[in-house]
Amino acid sequence: MNTNKEHTDILDRKVADCDLWVRALCCLKAAGIETVRDLVRFRKSDVMGFRNFGLKTIYELDDFIEDNKLNWGMDV
């Protein structure tokens, strides 16, 4: 499978369709983040400053991003 196609598929996925905890989804929704592409455009330090983003949420998002071979602050 083409890696670029894989990245495009995951980047265009709605965060609501990802296997994330409800708390993380609520935090992302409140921050106006609808897709994985929206999420990875931010640096982790930026996201940590969003309202209600605690360490557990950041750790979960870190795992999700790493599992999908993405990075914080991507230019997508």
Side-chain angles (χ1 to χ4, degrees):
M1 185 176 275
N2 185 339
T3 303
N4 292 332
K5 173 72 171 139
E6 288 177 25
H7 275 184
T8 300
D9 288 348
I10 189 67
L11 289 170
D12 291 337
R13 186 183 301 173
K14 299 267 187 206
V15 292
D17 295 335
C18 299
D19 189 24
L20 297 172
W21 290 351
V22 173
R23 178 162 181 80
L25 292 173
C26 290
C27 291
L28 293 170
K29 182 178 178 180
I33 297 171
E34 295 184 17
T35 65
V36 174
R37 183 182 307 273
D38 297 337
L39 174 62
V40 298
R41 285 182 176 156
F42 288 98
R43 294 180 315 219
K44 184 175 11 176
S45 59
D46 296 330
V47 173
M48 291 174 75
F50 292 165
R51 181 181 167 104
N52 293 325
F53 272 74
L55 285 178
K56 278 188 169 184
T57 303
I58 295 298
Y59 292 152
E60 180 185 9
L61 295 175
D62 265 344
D63 289 345
F64 173 79
I65 287 172
E66 183 179 311
D67 290 348
N68 287 285
K69 297 174 179 64
L70 301 170
N71 298 299
W72 291 105
M74 291 179 71
D75 183 21
V76 289

